[in-house]
Amino acid sequence: MGSPGSAHSPFPLFPPPVHFNGVKLVVETPEDAIFTYRGANITLPCRYHYEPKLETPRKIRIKWSKLREDNTKERDVLVAIGLKHRSFGEFRGRVHLRQRGEQEASLVISDLRLQDYGKYRCEVIDGLEDESGIVELELRGVVFPYQPHHGRYRLNFHEAKKACEEQDAVIASFEQLFKSWEEGLDWCNAGWLLDGTVQYPISLPREPCGGKRLAPGIRSYGERHKNLHYFDVFCFSSALKGKVYYLAHPEKLTLEEAKQACQDDGAEIAKVGQLYAAWKFFSLDRCDAGWLADGSIRYPIAFPRPNCGPPEPGVRSFGFPDKGKFGVYCYKLN
């Protein structure tokens, strides 16, 4: 039998990596994810160097892109050559390079948005070589189940994404749902996730929720048809730029009166994602049911006590009443 790579061998001969002039370009990015909050300014570290060190610097082109959920189909974020750079899409005007040293290519993102979480590629191109590294950005936040006023399992995937956005949130990723399950989230209604799967988190196994014999975990229906199948949705929200508060008002209000009362107070009626974020990050605790923008009645309990619902912290819901008068939760920018 011939040697590997010979005409008689079934194995192709793969040449060893070629480094021009014996010089190797190395790109360094952190292995651990970077955690931050909505509204923050964050730096995604990226440095590069040559092995061995170059005597004469080469002209460098730096490209940052954002990976999609399946790590393919990247979206351009920023391209830079020397001091000139161009940013793209929703990142335009919010990103720039931090180049404090000769071989730094770190990306600074300002005023982080909910959609900014994910994986980013730092690519360094010098005309001869092209190397890259991945930086993972995660937002600290809260996952909450959501169903619209017309009932359970009424949203296809596209409607689910829109429903979250209308509540100052985005559709949650599997990783975000898993982290919330680790923190105790338990919900027996299946909901859409960003990757097009339908899943639900169970901390306390029981018969209606997959059975008592199954271990705690994330129950999955797998991928479903994004147009034809209907479920609830899991949404994700993060820290707020403003504050949520229960409006002190002498009378209970209808939904329309509640909206007007918040406006009269220089605010707007709060959205579901804003109430969850205020509960999660600011320990908002109020045992008074109030209107929210979607027409639901809810109240946040950070410190459980008698006559304020179950013994666990959470946002309590009374659903979507057709009529009645209640208090209201407002949201005001700082």
PDB file of all heavy atoms in Angstrom, residues 1 22 37 47 72 96 108 139 150 153 166 168-169 185 226 232 250 299 305 315 318 325-326 333:
ATOM      1  N   MET A   1       0.855  -1.201   0.000  1.00  0.00           N
ATOM      2  CA  MET A   1       0.000   0.000   0.000  1.00  0.00           C
ATOM      3  C   MET A   1       0.880   1.236   0.000  1.00  0.00           C
ATOM      4  O   MET A   1       1.893   1.301   0.712  1.00  0.00           O
ATOM      5  CB  MET A   1      -0.891  -0.021   1.240  1.00  0.00           C
ATOM      6  CG  MET A   1      -1.877   1.135   1.290  1.00  0.00           C
ATOM      7  SD  MET A   1      -3.043   0.916   2.681  1.00  0.00           S
ATOM      8  CE  MET A   1      -3.982   2.417   2.493  1.00  0.00           C
ATOM      9  N   GLY A  22       7.196  32.618   7.063  1.00  0.00           N
ATOM     10  CA  GLY A  22       7.350  31.968   8.353  1.00  0.00           C
ATOM     11  C   GLY A  22       6.704  32.701   9.501  1.00  0.00           C
ATOM     12  O   GLY A  22       6.978  32.404  10.665  1.00  0.00           O
ATOM     13  N   TYR A  37     -25.654  44.830  30.745  1.00  0.00           N
ATOM     14  CA  TYR A  37     -27.071  45.176  30.807  1.00  0.00           C
ATOM     15  C   TYR A  37     -27.465  46.041  29.616  1.00  0.00           C
ATOM     16  O   TYR A  37     -26.624  46.710  29.011  1.00  0.00           O
ATOM     17  CB  TYR A  37     -27.382  45.951  32.087  1.00  0.00           C
ATOM     18  CG  TYR A  37     -27.115  45.194  33.356  1.00  0.00           C
ATOM     19  CD1 TYR A  37     -25.877  45.274  33.987  1.00  0.00           C
ATOM     20  CD2 TYR A  37     -28.092  44.390  33.927  1.00  0.00           C
ATOM     21  CE1 TYR A  37     -25.620  44.577  35.157  1.00  0.00           C
ATOM     22  CE2 TYR A  37     -27.854  43.696  35.098  1.00  0.00           C
ATOM     23  CZ  TYR A  37     -26.621  43.792  35.705  1.00  0.00           C
ATOM     24  OH  TYR A  37     -26.377  43.092  36.857  1.00  0.00           O
ATOM     25  N   ARG A  47      -7.362  41.299  20.466  1.00  0.00           N
ATOM     26  CA  ARG A  47      -5.989  41.718  20.187  1.00  0.00           C
ATOM     27  C   ARG A  47      -5.372  40.743  19.184  1.00  0.00           C
ATOM     28  O   ARG A  47      -5.835  39.606  19.051  1.00  0.00           O
ATOM     29  CB  ARG A  47      -5.155  41.756  21.464  1.00  0.00           C
ATOM     30  CG  ARG A  47      -5.683  42.733  22.515  1.00  0.00           C
ATOM     31  CD  ARG A  47      -4.695  42.879  23.664  1.00  0.00           C
ATOM     32  NE  ARG A  47      -3.450  43.481  23.206  1.00  0.00           N
ATOM     33  CZ  ARG A  47      -3.252  44.794  23.105  1.00  0.00           C
ATOM     34  NH1 ARG A  47      -4.216  45.640  23.431  1.00  0.00           N
ATOM     35  NH2 ARG A  47      -2.096  45.270  22.675  1.00  0.00           N
ATOM     36  N   THR A  72     -23.954  30.934  11.535  1.00  0.00           N
ATOM     37  CA  THR A  72     -23.689  31.201  10.123  1.00  0.00           C
ATOM     38  C   THR A  72     -24.361  32.523   9.746  1.00  0.00           C
ATOM     39  O   THR A  72     -24.957  33.197  10.571  1.00  0.00           O
ATOM     40  CB  THR A  72     -24.227  30.077   9.230  1.00  0.00           C
ATOM     41  OG1 THR A  72     -25.651  29.992   9.405  1.00  0.00           O
ATOM     42  CG2 THR A  72     -23.605  28.741   9.615  1.00  0.00           C
ATOM     43  N   HIS A  96     -17.502  51.677  17.684  1.00  0.00           N
ATOM     44  CA  HIS A  96     -16.204  52.156  17.198  1.00  0.00           C
ATOM     45  C   HIS A  96     -15.118  51.235  17.739  1.00  0.00           C
ATOM     46  O   HIS A  96     -15.365  50.426  18.650  1.00  0.00           O
ATOM     47  CB  HIS A  96     -15.941  53.610  17.613  1.00  0.00           C
ATOM     48  CG  HIS A  96     -15.770  53.810  19.090  1.00  0.00           C
ATOM     49  ND1 HIS A  96     -16.840  54.044  19.936  1.00  0.00           N
ATOM     50  CD2 HIS A  96     -14.661  53.786  19.878  1.00  0.00           C
ATOM     51  CE1 HIS A  96     -16.399  54.164  21.180  1.00  0.00           C
ATOM     52  NE2 HIS A  96     -15.091  54.014  21.178  1.00  0.00           N
ATOM     53  N   VAL A 108     -16.143  48.668  20.704  1.00  0.00           N
ATOM     54  CA  VAL A 108     -16.938  49.329  21.734  1.00  0.00           C
ATOM     55  C   VAL A 108     -18.357  49.514  21.207  1.00  0.00           C
ATOM     56  O   VAL A 108     -18.552  50.086  20.134  1.00  0.00           O
ATOM     57  CB  VAL A 108     -16.339  50.696  22.121  1.00  0.00           C
ATOM     58  CG1 VAL A 108     -17.203  51.376  23.187  1.00  0.00           C
ATOM     59  CG2 VAL A 108     -14.911  50.521  22.629  1.00  0.00           C
ATOM     60  N   LEU A 139     -26.564  39.448  27.914  1.00  0.00           N
ATOM     61  CA  LEU A 139     -27.225  40.469  28.723  1.00  0.00           C
ATOM     62  C   LEU A 139     -27.825  39.812  29.959  1.00  0.00           C
ATOM     63  O   LEU A 139     -28.421  38.740  29.878  1.00  0.00           O
ATOM     64  CB  LEU A 139     -28.348  41.144  27.928  1.00  0.00           C
ATOM     65  CG  LEU A 139     -27.947  42.008  26.741  1.00  0.00           C
ATOM     66  CD1 LEU A 139     -29.180  42.675  26.152  1.00  0.00           C
ATOM     67  CD2 LEU A 139     -26.943  43.063  27.136  1.00  0.00           C
ATOM     68  N   HIS A 150     -56.200  37.293  23.741  1.00  0.00           N
ATOM     69  CA  HIS A 150     -57.206  36.378  23.196  1.00  0.00           C
ATOM     70  C   HIS A 150     -56.937  34.923  23.560  1.00  0.00           C
ATOM     71  O   HIS A 150     -57.578  34.028  23.023  1.00  0.00           O
ATOM     72  CB  HIS A 150     -57.355  36.540  21.676  1.00  0.00           C
ATOM     73  CG  HIS A 150     -56.063  36.663  20.923  1.00  0.00           C
ATOM     74  ND1 HIS A 150     -55.380  37.839  20.815  1.00  0.00           N
ATOM     75  CD2 HIS A 150     -55.333  35.746  20.240  1.00  0.00           C
ATOM     76  CE1 HIS A 150     -54.285  37.651  20.087  1.00  0.00           C
ATOM     77  NE2 HIS A 150     -54.236  36.396  19.728  1.00  0.00           N
ATOM     78  N   TYR A 153     -52.017  29.721  23.385  1.00  0.00           N
ATOM     79  CA  TYR A 153     -51.625  29.091  22.125  1.00  0.00           C
ATOM     80  C   TYR A 153     -52.301  29.757  20.914  1.00  0.00           C
ATOM     81  O   TYR A 153     -52.964  29.117  20.105  1.00  0.00           O
ATOM     82  CB  TYR A 153     -51.928  27.591  22.152  1.00  0.00           C
ATOM     83  CG  TYR A 153     -51.073  26.819  23.147  1.00  0.00           C
ATOM     84  CD1 TYR A 153     -51.262  25.459  23.342  1.00  0.00           C
ATOM     85  CD2 TYR A 153     -50.068  27.432  23.867  1.00  0.00           C
ATOM     86  CE1 TYR A 153     -50.485  24.740  24.242  1.00  0.00           C
ATOM     87  CE2 TYR A 153     -49.287  26.744  24.773  1.00  0.00           C
ATOM     88  CZ  TYR A 153     -49.492  25.393  24.960  1.00  0.00           C
ATOM     89  OH  TYR A 153     -48.711  24.693  25.850  1.00  0.00           O
ATOM     90  N   GLU A 166     -43.572  44.288  21.404  1.00  0.00           N
ATOM     91  CA  GLU A 166     -44.589  45.239  21.863  1.00  0.00           C
ATOM     92  C   GLU A 166     -44.575  45.403  23.376  1.00  0.00           C
ATOM     93  O   GLU A 166     -45.103  46.381  23.900  1.00  0.00           O
ATOM     94  CB  GLU A 166     -45.971  44.779  21.397  1.00  0.00           C
ATOM     95  CG  GLU A 166     -46.191  44.936  19.900  1.00  0.00           C
ATOM     96  CD  GLU A 166     -47.500  44.338  19.420  1.00  0.00           C
ATOM     97  OE1 GLU A 166     -48.133  43.580  20.203  1.00  0.00           O
ATOM     98  OE2 GLU A 166     -47.889  44.617  18.266  1.00  0.00           O
ATOM     99  N   ASP A 168     -41.727  45.660  25.176  1.00  0.00           N
ATOM    100  CA  ASP A 168     -40.377  46.121  25.498  1.00  0.00           C
ATOM    101  C   ASP A 168     -39.467  44.933  25.817  1.00  0.00           C
ATOM    102  O   ASP A 168     -38.747  44.924  26.810  1.00  0.00           O
ATOM    103  CB  ASP A 168     -40.390  47.109  26.674  1.00  0.00           C
ATOM    104  CG  ASP A 168     -39.049  47.841  26.814  1.00  0.00           C
ATOM    105  OD1 ASP A 168     -38.485  48.237  25.782  1.00  0.00           O
ATOM    106  OD2 ASP A 168     -38.565  47.987  27.958  1.00  0.00           O
ATOM    107  N   ALA A 169     -39.511  43.923  24.966  1.00  0.00           N
ATOM    108  CA  ALA A 169     -38.723  42.705  25.156  1.00  0.00           C
ATOM    109  C   ALA A 169     -38.385  42.135  23.783  1.00  0.00           C
ATOM    110  O   ALA A 169     -38.781  42.694  22.747  1.00  0.00           O
ATOM    111  CB  ALA A 169     -39.516  41.690  25.984  1.00  0.00           C
ATOM    112  N   LEU A 185     -37.386  29.110  37.212  1.00  0.00           N
ATOM    113  CA  LEU A 185     -38.574  29.316  36.390  1.00  0.00           C
ATOM    114  C   LEU A 185     -39.284  27.988  36.131  1.00  0.00           C
ATOM    115  O   LEU A 185     -38.667  27.006  35.710  1.00  0.00           O
ATOM    116  CB  LEU A 185     -38.194  29.977  35.060  1.00  0.00           C
ATOM    117  CG  LEU A 185     -39.368  30.297  34.123  1.00  0.00           C
ATOM    118  CD1 LEU A 185     -40.340  31.287  34.758  1.00  0.00           C
ATOM    119  CD2 LEU A 185     -38.859  30.850  32.780  1.00  0.00           C
ATOM    120  N   LYS A 226     -43.191  27.753  11.459  1.00  0.00           N
ATOM    121  CA  LYS A 226     -43.266  29.130  11.968  1.00  0.00           C
ATOM    122  C   LYS A 226     -44.543  29.852  11.569  1.00  0.00           C
ATOM    123  O   LYS A 226     -44.896  30.868  12.178  1.00  0.00           O
ATOM    124  CB  LYS A 226     -42.042  29.926  11.505  1.00  0.00           C
ATOM    125  CG  LYS A 226     -40.753  29.456  12.156  1.00  0.00           C
ATOM    126  CD  LYS A 226     -39.576  30.313  11.739  1.00  0.00           C
ATOM    127  CE  LYS A 226     -38.300  29.869  12.450  1.00  0.00           C
ATOM    128  NZ  LYS A 226     -37.139  30.709  12.063  1.00  0.00           N
ATOM    129  N   ASP A 232     -47.672  29.842  22.932  1.00  0.00           N
ATOM    130  CA  ASP A 232     -47.339  31.072  23.630  1.00  0.00           C
ATOM    131  C   ASP A 232     -45.896  31.437  23.265  1.00  0.00           C
ATOM    132  O   ASP A 232     -45.329  30.869  22.333  1.00  0.00           O
ATOM    133  CB  ASP A 232     -47.510  30.893  25.139  1.00  0.00           C
ATOM    134  CG  ASP A 232     -48.970  30.680  25.529  1.00  0.00           C
ATOM    135  OD1 ASP A 232     -49.860  31.011  24.720  1.00  0.00           O
ATOM    136  OD2 ASP A 232     -49.216  30.166  26.636  1.00  0.00           O
ATOM    137  N   PRO A 250     -56.519  58.897  43.439  1.00  0.00           N
ATOM    138  CA  PRO A 250     -57.626  58.800  44.408  1.00  0.00           C
ATOM    139  C   PRO A 250     -58.692  57.780  44.031  1.00  0.00           C
ATOM    140  O   PRO A 250     -59.457  57.337  44.892  1.00  0.00           O
ATOM    141  CB  PRO A 250     -58.205  60.220  44.414  1.00  0.00           C
ATOM    142  CG  PRO A 250     -57.768  60.831  43.120  1.00  0.00           C
ATOM    143  CD  PRO A 250     -56.442  60.236  42.814  1.00  0.00           C
ATOM    144  N   TYR A 299     -49.314  42.494  39.183  1.00  0.00           N
ATOM    145  CA  TYR A 299     -48.613  43.206  40.254  1.00  0.00           C
ATOM    146  C   TYR A 299     -47.346  42.435  40.627  1.00  0.00           C
ATOM    147  O   TYR A 299     -47.314  41.202  40.577  1.00  0.00           O
ATOM    148  CB  TYR A 299     -49.512  43.441  41.472  1.00  0.00           C
ATOM    149  CG  TYR A 299     -49.998  42.210  42.202  1.00  0.00           C
ATOM    150  CD1 TYR A 299     -49.377  41.767  43.367  1.00  0.00           C
ATOM    151  CD2 TYR A 299     -51.106  41.493  41.748  1.00  0.00           C
ATOM    152  CE1 TYR A 299     -49.833  40.658  44.061  1.00  0.00           C
ATOM    153  CE2 TYR A 299     -51.571  40.375  42.427  1.00  0.00           C
ATOM    154  CZ  TYR A 299     -50.924  39.957  43.584  1.00  0.00           C
ATOM    155  OH  TYR A 299     -51.380  38.846  44.255  1.00  0.00           O
ATOM    156  N   ARG A 305     -45.540  37.532  50.976  1.00  0.00           N
ATOM    157  CA  ARG A 305     -46.173  37.681  52.279  1.00  0.00           C
ATOM    158  C   ARG A 305     -47.630  37.267  52.147  1.00  0.00           C
ATOM    159  O   ARG A 305     -48.151  37.151  51.032  1.00  0.00           O
ATOM    160  CB  ARG A 305     -46.056  39.116  52.783  1.00  0.00           C
ATOM    161  CG  ARG A 305     -46.524  40.181  51.784  1.00  0.00           C
ATOM    162  CD  ARG A 305     -45.919  41.532  52.138  1.00  0.00           C
ATOM    163  NE  ARG A 305     -46.337  42.609  51.252  1.00  0.00           N
ATOM    164  CZ  ARG A 305     -45.735  42.887  50.100  1.00  0.00           C
ATOM    165  NH1 ARG A 305     -44.732  42.131  49.659  1.00  0.00           N
ATOM    166  NH2 ARG A 305     -46.132  43.913  49.359  1.00  0.00           N
ATOM    167  N   VAL A 315     -44.179  37.995  39.338  1.00  0.00           N
ATOM    168  CA  VAL A 315     -45.182  38.952  38.858  1.00  0.00           C
ATOM    169  C   VAL A 315     -46.495  38.199  38.740  1.00  0.00           C
ATOM    170  O   VAL A 315     -46.608  37.248  37.970  1.00  0.00           O
ATOM    171  CB  VAL A 315     -44.767  39.566  37.502  1.00  0.00           C
ATOM    172  CG1 VAL A 315     -45.883  40.455  36.959  1.00  0.00           C
ATOM    173  CG2 VAL A 315     -43.482  40.384  37.669  1.00  0.00           C
ATOM    174  N   PHE A 318     -53.723  38.730  36.785  1.00  0.00           N
ATOM    175  CA  PHE A 318     -55.165  38.504  36.833  1.00  0.00           C
ATOM    176  C   PHE A 318     -55.751  38.392  35.432  1.00  0.00           C
ATOM    177  O   PHE A 318     -56.963  38.476  35.257  1.00  0.00           O
ATOM    178  CB  PHE A 318     -55.861  39.646  37.588  1.00  0.00           C
ATOM    179  CG  PHE A 318     -55.624  39.630  39.069  1.00  0.00           C
ATOM    180  CD1 PHE A 318     -55.600  40.807  39.797  1.00  0.00           C
ATOM    181  CD2 PHE A 318     -55.445  38.445  39.741  1.00  0.00           C
ATOM    182  CE1 PHE A 318     -55.395  40.800  41.173  1.00  0.00           C
ATOM    183  CE2 PHE A 318     -55.240  38.416  41.114  1.00  0.00           C
ATOM    184  CZ  PHE A 318     -55.213  39.593  41.835  1.00  0.00           C
ATOM    185  N   LYS A 325     -62.382  48.349  37.182  1.00  0.00           N
ATOM    186  CA  LYS A 325     -61.490  49.470  37.481  1.00  0.00           C
ATOM    187  C   LYS A 325     -60.406  49.004  38.444  1.00  0.00           C
ATOM    188  O   LYS A 325     -60.674  48.285  39.409  1.00  0.00           O
ATOM    189  CB  LYS A 325     -62.283  50.632  38.074  1.00  0.00           C
ATOM    190  CG  LYS A 325     -63.258  51.270  37.081  1.00  0.00           C
ATOM    191  CD  LYS A 325     -63.786  52.605  37.577  1.00  0.00           C
ATOM    192  CE  LYS A 325     -64.620  53.312  36.510  1.00  0.00           C
ATOM    193  NZ  LYS A 325     -65.003  54.676  36.913  1.00  0.00           N
ATOM    194  N   PHE A 326     -59.178  49.440  38.139  1.00  0.00           N
ATOM    195  CA  PHE A 326     -58.005  49.008  38.916  1.00  0.00           C
ATOM    196  C   PHE A 326     -57.035  50.182  39.017  1.00  0.00           C
ATOM    197  O   PHE A 326     -57.275  51.264  38.479  1.00  0.00           O
ATOM    198  CB  PHE A 326     -57.315  47.831  38.230  1.00  0.00           C
ATOM    199  CG  PHE A 326     -58.204  46.626  38.031  1.00  0.00           C
ATOM    200  CD1 PHE A 326     -58.984  46.506  36.886  1.00  0.00           C
ATOM    201  CD2 PHE A 326     -58.265  45.625  38.988  1.00  0.00           C
ATOM    202  CE1 PHE A 326     -59.801  45.398  36.687  1.00  0.00           C
ATOM    203  CE2 PHE A 326     -59.089  44.517  38.809  1.00  0.00           C
ATOM    204  CZ  PHE A 326     -59.856  44.407  37.665  1.00  0.00           C
ATOM    205  N   LEU A 333     -39.126  57.746  31.955  1.00  0.00           N
ATOM    206  CA  LEU A 333     -37.688  57.785  31.683  1.00  0.00           C
ATOM    207  C   LEU A 333     -36.978  58.621  32.727  1.00  0.00           C
ATOM    208  O   LEU A 333     -37.509  59.634  33.205  1.00  0.00           O
ATOM    209  CB  LEU A 333     -37.427  58.363  30.292  1.00  0.00           C
ATOM    210  CG  LEU A 333     -37.705  57.452  29.097  1.00  0.00           C
ATOM    211  CD1 LEU A 333     -37.597  58.223  27.795  1.00  0.00           C
ATOM    212  CD2 LEU A 333     -36.752  56.269  29.081  1.00  0.00           C
TER     213      LEU A 333
END
